[in-house]
């Protein structure tokens, strides 16, 4: 039962003294005590009743309240019979520790409150148990095959009064119960997915409790056997599933639920997992088409043979399309720092999810994406019904930066500091002859992305006309030697003299060598800037008036 329900029961004579924002806390039991330290008898979730006999002076309130909070009690109710009113020092201590505090009128016996709480809590537990049995029967007869995850979520809403959603690992809404009302905001979905992935990688047992935007959510992984405890976060099994599992989110704190109710929710996740497996199986045809096209392109098949295969793929991916579409190629790679192999299937599932429009709901939008995998690489064939041109002359379609905008936060949490996701996107092509070049272009772009810092990176074909195309192909030892020769003398000088030569060099190059613009940018006098640039040239033996030396410094800074 909730604290709010106790306050609303007039017969109990309770008056709220503090903690109005915490009235939705659950009460799992009741205890009466006048011990100075009752913590050994507390297990959490209790309403503690006290006559204040433990209090000798004002200094006793703070340690007493602190012990209650550390024991996880839900609230404190203090009787007024002994002192006539609840002392102000106790009120202030409860406010500091966010512990709800009630005053009990002197005409109300603690036994009356105890009996009421025990009766209500026992009744709720009995009702939960009966509900579990009935819900299992109903969900097994009208489960996903009769309407997808929404059917199960509607039962949770109508029968257990739970607002629930199914999210993808990137936080995209897949389904929601009617009782859930409006869709969760995108930032809330991303936060829930990120917290779930981080907790899973850390090996914490589900459900994962996530407070966000003023509400508390409990997150359950959607997979077969989800009731079993997680293995160690860095295990191979977790790495193979954490970036592809759906998650069930309920707006409730499952920390104080009975085992029967938790078992019900885990049963729900397994029913949803059946639907997830069914939809994964439906992708088999599209994956096979992508695999066949990829093999033809990589083996140098004739354009006519590739075009024939594309004509087969187009109606499957874009039903009703009259003309052959344009195509883009997207390449993805998932890498773990310990060199774990067999990441191709993980990258394939992840790329299928990433390519879904984040503004779209439901899994059916992924029916227009064909993804194959070879080795540790996943390759997506993305059809475009038409390619339009923006006012600046650039083509629309899949854009590298936009691709990761909504998924970077949850994916970074799922990679947990020891993995990376890198993607490359090609330009659109309109014929079979262009696919081989598009594939190589996407692979080059992915290597450019891999040369950047960060756990989740992408690069597009637009960037391949720049010098950055060359940087990923410079061997690591050559790169280190080049940057050390140019920049180490400046770093050493900065470390000894706090001279800020490196920031000055970066600003000078960014200002195209303009003394005035650079001095203004750094808030320096031009003479001070000239002194610093002279010191840079003296330490490195280079001349920043020469284009070749400017370019060397620019590349060294980009590679460092």
């Amino acid at each position: 039962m909730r604290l709010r329900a106790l306050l609303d029961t007039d017969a109990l004579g309770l008056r709220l003294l503090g903690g109005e924002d915490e009235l939705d806390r659950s009460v799992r039991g009741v205890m009466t005590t006048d011990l100075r330290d009752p913590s050994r008898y507390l297990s959490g979730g209790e309403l503690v009743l006290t006559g204040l006999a433990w209090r000798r002076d004002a200094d006793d309130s703070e340690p007493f309240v602190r012990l209650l909070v550390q024991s996880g009690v839900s609230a404190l109710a203090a009787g007024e019979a002994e002192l006539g009113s609840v002392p102000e020092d106790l009120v202030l201590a409860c406010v500091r520790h966010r512990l709800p505090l009630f005053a009990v009128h002197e005409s109300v016996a603690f036994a009356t409150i105890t009996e009421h709480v025990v009766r209500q809590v026992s009744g709720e537990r009995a009702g939960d148990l009966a509900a579990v049995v009935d819900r299992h029967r109903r969900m097994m007869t009208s489960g996903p095959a009769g309407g997808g995850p929404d059917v199960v979520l509607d039962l949770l809403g109508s029968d257990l009064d739970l607002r629930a959603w199914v999210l993808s690992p990137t936080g995209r809404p897949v389904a929601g119960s009617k009782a859930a009302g409006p869709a969760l905001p995108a930032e809330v979905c991303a936060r829930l997915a990120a917290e779930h992935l981080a907790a899973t990688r850390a090996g914490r047992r589900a459900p994962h409790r996530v407070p966000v935007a003023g509400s508390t959510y409990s997150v359950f992984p959607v997979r077969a056997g989800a009731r079993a405890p997680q293995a160690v976060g860095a295990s191979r099994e977790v790495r193979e599933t954490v970036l592809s599992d759906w998650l069930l989110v309920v707006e409730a704190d499952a920390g104080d639920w009975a085992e029967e109710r938790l078992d019900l929710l885990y049963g729900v996740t397994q029913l949803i997992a059946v639907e997830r497996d069914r939809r994964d199986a439906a992708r088999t045809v599209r994956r096979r088409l992508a695999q066949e096209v990829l093999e033809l392109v990589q083996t140098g098949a004739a354009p006519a043979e590739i075009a024939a295969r594309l004509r087969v793929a187009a109606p499957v991916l874009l039903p009703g399309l009259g003309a052959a579409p344009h195509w883009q190629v997207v390449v993805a790679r998932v890498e773990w720092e310990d060199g774990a192999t067999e990441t191709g299937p993980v990258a394939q599932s992840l790329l299928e999810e990433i390519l879904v429009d984040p503004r779209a709901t439901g899994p059916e939008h992924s029916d227009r994406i064909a993804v194959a995998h070879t080795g540790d690489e996943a390759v997506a064939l993305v059809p475009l019904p038409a390619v339009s041109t923006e006012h600046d002359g650039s083509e629309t379609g899949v854009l590298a930066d936009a691709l990761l905008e909504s998924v970077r936060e949850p994916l970074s949490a799922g990679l947990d500091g020891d993995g990376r996701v890198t993607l490359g996107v090609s330009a659109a092509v309109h014929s079979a002859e262009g696919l081989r070049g598009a594939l190589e272009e996407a692979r080059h772009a992915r290597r450019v992305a891999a040369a950047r810092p960060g756990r989740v990176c992408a690069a597009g074909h637009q960037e391949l006309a720049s010098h950055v195309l060359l940087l990923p192909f410079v061997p690591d030892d050559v790169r280190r030697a080049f940057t050390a020769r140019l920049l180490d003398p400046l770093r050493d000088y900065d470390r000894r003299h706090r001279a800020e030569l490196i920031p000055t060099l970066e600003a000078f190059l960014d200002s195209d060598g303009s003394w005035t613009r650079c001095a203004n940018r750094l808030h320096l006098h031009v003479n001070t800037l000239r002194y610093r640039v002279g010191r840079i040239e003296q330490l490195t033996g280079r001349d920043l008036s020469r284009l070749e030396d400017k370019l060397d410094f620019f590349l060294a800074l980009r590679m460092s």
Side-chain angles (χ1 to χ4, degrees), residues 173-194:
V174 174
S177 63
K178 294 176 183 176
L184 288 172
E187 60 273 13
V188 173
C189 291
R191 170 76 181 281
L192 291 169

Side-chain angles (χ1 to χ4, degrees), residues 236 240 339-346 373 375-376:
R236 175 172 177 163
E240 290 175 351
T341 58
E342 299 298 326
T343 59
V346 178
H373 74 83
D376 293 338

Side-chain angles (χ1 to χ4, degrees), residues 466-524:
S466 168
H467 64 279
V468 296
L469 172 64
L470 303 174
L471 299 185
F473 309 104
V474 178
D476 288 343
D477 54 347
V478 174
R479 189 183 306 196
R480 285 192 295 269
F482 179 73
T483 57
R485 185 166 59 253
L486 279 176
L487 301 182
D488 279 1
L490 306 183
R491 292 190 181 113
D492 291 341
Y493 191 88
D494 281 347
R495 192 161 44 247
R496 293 195 308 269
H497 303 284
R498 299 181 181 179
E500 297 188 355
L501 296 184
I502 292 288
T504 301
L505 175 62
E506 291 174 332
F508 186 73
L509 296 175
D510 286 344
S511 302
D512 297 324
S514 168
W515 297 99
T516 302
R517 288 205 308 272
C518 184
N520 290 336
R521 178 173 175 175
L522 295 175
H523 305 291
L524 297 175

Side-chain angles (χ1 to χ4, degrees), residues 352-369:
E352 287 172 335
E353 172 58 37
I354 290 175
L355 285 171
V356 178
D357 186 341
R359 296 165 295 183
T361 58
E364 68 278 358
H365 296 269
S366 62
D367 293 350
R368 297 185 174 186
I369 299 162

Side-chain angles (χ1 to χ4, degrees), residues 39 50 90 101-102 107 137 189 228 242 272 277 324 334 421 434 448 489-490 493 504:
S39 58
T50 179
L90 181 59
L101 175 63
F102 300 99
S107 63
R137 177 185 61 78
C189 291
V242 69
I272 297 173
D277 292 342
V334 176
V421 172
V448 170
L490 306 183
Y493 191 88
T504 301

Side-chain angles (χ1 to χ4, degrees), residues 8 13 24 35 385 436 481 522:
D8 293 340
D24 286 328
L35 295 173
R436 185 176 182 84
L522 295 175

Side-chain angles (χ1 to χ4, degrees), residues 44-68:
E46 296 93 343
L47 170 66
V48 173
L49 305 174
T50 179
L52 300 175
W54 49 267
R55 181 184 177 277
R56 298 188 182 93
D57 55 46
D59 292 336
D60 292 335
S61 293
E62 172 69 19
F64 181 81
V65 171
R66 186 169 59 249
L67 289 169
L68 296 186

